[in-house]
């Protein structure tokens, strides 16, 4: 009877180890799938970086941003000039301030 109990205890320990190994294998499989998905996404991102059209679009956006900054700067200066030349005009202080902030932020980024 003791021998059977010992074998049963050994079987229970072996079963616990097998269940632990199964859980670890399942976790590894899950992690593998996550890494495979991330790898696929990174490969797609890398392919986009090699796409000539992508870089042309980036350059176009940069040029438009520079033009927008120049226009904002000129608009701010013009508003300040007109409000200084015509004191009866109620200056749009909020707009002038926002244009100044936009220009300053763009200048700091370059």
């Amino acid at each position: 009877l003791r021998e059977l109990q010992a074998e049963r205890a050994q079987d229970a320990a072996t079963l616990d180890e097998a269940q632990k190994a199964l859980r670890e294998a399942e976790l590894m499989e899950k992690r593998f799938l996550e890494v495979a998905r991330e790898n696929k996404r990174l490969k797609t991102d890398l392919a986009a970086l090699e796409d000539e059209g992508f870089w042309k679009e980036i350059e176009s956006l940069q040029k438009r941003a520079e033009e927008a900054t120049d226009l904002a700067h000129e608009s701010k200066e013009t508003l300040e000039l007109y409000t200084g030349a015509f004191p009866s005009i109620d200056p749009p202080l909020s707009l002038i301030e926002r244009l100044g902030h936009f220009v300053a932020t763009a200048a700091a980024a370059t």
Side-chain angles (χ1 to χ4, degrees):
L1 183 60
R2 288 178 200 236
E3 187 178 315
L4 286 174
Q5 288 175 336
E7 288 176 2
R8 186 172 185 187
Q10 180 62 36
D11 288 347
T14 303
L15 182 60
D16 287 345
E17 284 295 316
Q19 287 175 337
K20 181 180 175 184
L22 179 60
R23 282 192 302 271
E24 288 177 5
E26 288 170 343
L27 288 174
M28 291 298 290
E29 180 183 19
K30 181 180 176 185
R31 180 66 183 135
F32 173 79
L33 292 173
E34 289 172 359
V35 169
R37 278 192 295 273
E38 179 70 10
N39 191 27
K40 184 177 180 180
R41 187 187 66 77
L42 290 173
K43 283 182 180 180
T44 301
D45 291 348
L46 183 59
L49 292 175
E50 294 172 356
D51 181 16
E52 183 64 28
F54 172 81
W55 291 109
K56 286 183 180 180
E57 181 68 20
I58 294 293
E59 289 172 8
S60 173
L61 290 171
Q62 286 175 332
K63 287 179 185 175
R64 290 183 67 198
E66 289 170 5
E67 289 175 18
T69 302
D70 291 344
L71 287 170
H73 182 74
E74 290 176 32
S75 297
K76 179 182 178 292
E77 288 180 345
T78 301
L79 283 171
E80 290 172 337
L81 179 69
Y82 285 157
T83 56
F86 302 100
S88 61
I89 295 177
D90 199 19
L93 297 177
S94 174
L95 177 59
I96 292 171
E97 183 180 317
R98 287 179 17 231
L99 287 169
H101 179 71
F102 178 82
V103 171
T105 302
T110 55

